[in-house]
Amino acid sequence: MAGEPSDDWTIRVMTRPDLDLAIDWAAAEGWNPGLGDVECFHAADPGGFLVGSLGTEPVASISVVRYGGAFGFLGLYIVRPDRRGQGFGHRLWQAGMDRLANRLVGLDGVVAQQDNYRRSGFALAHRNIRFGGIPHLEAPRDAGLRPVKPEIVDAVLAYDRPFFPAPRDTFLRCWLRPEARKAVALVRDGGVEGYGVVRACRSGFKIGPLFADGEHEADLLFRALASEAKGDAVFLDLPEPNAAAHRLAARHGLSAVFETARMYRGETPDLPLPRIYGISTFELG
């Protein structure tokens, strides 16, 4: 009966093939995941990805990744289109929220779902806007721009810490590895003044995160990272309140193509939005 999931409905932790399938679903929704995202998503919290199935047939996904002891991020909340409106998503949502009980929880939800998230205790913090375009850039020449190699990884992790509500070293150590992404830091007088990561996606390249002490530093890093696209499309997910990030996007010919609602259940964390020029991922925060 519509609205009542059937008795052969089960919820379990995803296997790696399940997560590959969920990423395919995300691509079908137009979310444009990165080609190498699965490994680092899974490394962040192997138990943080749930799949709902009818018998052996996966029909819904959700990620409920735990960071530290007090924060969690919810994403990849998808019900297969032919199974929507039958109650499966709601059951999986409840299981996911149970896993994040007693934590501050963040999410980047499509705007159309804001009212549903609000009914579940989430409040809007700000919008994130995806800008995209084809900037034709050469890598800038600046002695401070350095690839993130093992000798500066710890410094980059320390720089990242104020930009996220909880430590996320396990995820970042994977995200910063050079096999699937390029990470660049701006280092002056021995101190990190910003860093960013660019990765190939189903369509074009995404830059994220992009954190910097100022607009000039962010622009240097953006140009260094965007030059990796070599004429392909580049996407940047920026927090709407950061006016300097809007200027950066416009300066390089990017325009708004998509947006999400950054919402939290619990007190909104005090993050340095003026220095956040690109969030890491819509799926994991």
Side-chain angles (χ1 to χ4, degrees):
M1 184 172 62
E4 290 295 332
S6 59
D7 291 339
D8 58 352
W9 166 256
T10 58
I11 295 172
R12 58 177 171 77
V13 174
M14 289 187 191
T15 63
R16 280 293 299 273
D18 290 327
L19 185 49
D20 289 332
L21 178 61
I23 294 295
D24 286 342
W25 288 349
E29 294 293 321
W31 299 351
N32 194 24
L35 299 182
D37 287 356
V38 170
E39 179 184 3
C40 296
F41 287 2
H42 192 260
D45 181 3
F49 301 87
L50 305 180
V51 59
S53 299
L54 282 176
T56 60
E57 179 187 14
V59 299
S61 67
I62 197 168
S63 59
V64 279
V65 171
R66 294 170 174 170
Y67 292 100
F71 182 61
F73 202 86
L74 187 151
L76 286 175
Y77 180 44
I78 304 169
V79 178
R80 214 174 65 190
D82 63 310
R83 292 295 186 177
R84 292 175 184 172
Q86 300 171 42
F88 299 119
H90 180 64
R91 277 197 181 183
L92 188 58
W93 170 274
Q94 289 179 313
M97 293 305 293
D98 286 347
R99 190 174 192 272
L100 298 180
N102 303 315
R103 290 171 179 258
L104 170 65
V105 182
L107 61 80
D108 279 316
V110 294
V111 175
Q113 292 294 324
Q114 274 191 53
D115 288 342
N116 288 335
Y117 296 139
R118 192 173 289 111
R119 284 192 289 271
S120 294
F122 286 80
L124 178 68
H126 56 81
R127 294 192 302 163
N128 285 322
I129 303 177
R130 173 166 296 165
F131 280 78
I134 303 178
H136 296 281
L137 295 169
E138 294 185 1
R141 296 182 179 181
D142 188 293
L145 293 169
R146 296 175 55 183
V148 177
K149 295 183 177 180
E151 57 266 27
I152 65 168
V153 165
D154 285 345
V156 170
L157 294 179
Y159 183 84
D160 182 87
R161 184 64 193 86
F163 293 91
F164 201 74
R168 55 174 182 168
D169 290 12
T170 301
F171 167 74
L172 279 182
R173 287 187 186 279
C174 180
W175 204 245
L176 295 171
R177 291 206 305 259
E179 298 93 302
R181 285 158 292 274
K182 180 171 183 178
V184 177
L186 183 62
V187 182
R188 300 197 193 281
D189 300 322
V192 176
E193 296 184 354
Y195 88 99
V197 179
V198 62
R199 71 195 195 278
C201 295
R202 300 290 179 98
S203 173
F205 290 76
K206 279 186 192 171
I207 293 175
L210 177 57
F211 302 152
D213 287 355
E215 190 169 352
H216 173 70
E217 293 83 356
D219 193 82
L220 273 175
L221 286 162
F222 177 87
R223 287 186 283 139
L225 296 164
S227 67
E228 292 294 308
K230 302 188 185 333
D232 204 347
V234 172
F235 300 95
L236 180 70
D237 299 332
L238 59 89
E240 186 182 38
N242 185 343
H246 285 265
R247 290 195 296 268
L248 182 151
R251 189 160 55 243
H252 295 295
L254 307 187
S255 56
V257 296
F258 183 70
E259 67 178 79
T260 66
R262 171 60 64 89
M263 306 181 78
Y264 294 97
R265 185 193 68 179
E267 185 176 354
T268 298
D270 183 17
L271 302 180
L273 294 182
R275 294 196 291 145
I276 298 177
Y277 289 79
I279 68 166
S280 303
T281 79
F282 283 155
E283 296 85 5
L284 266 69

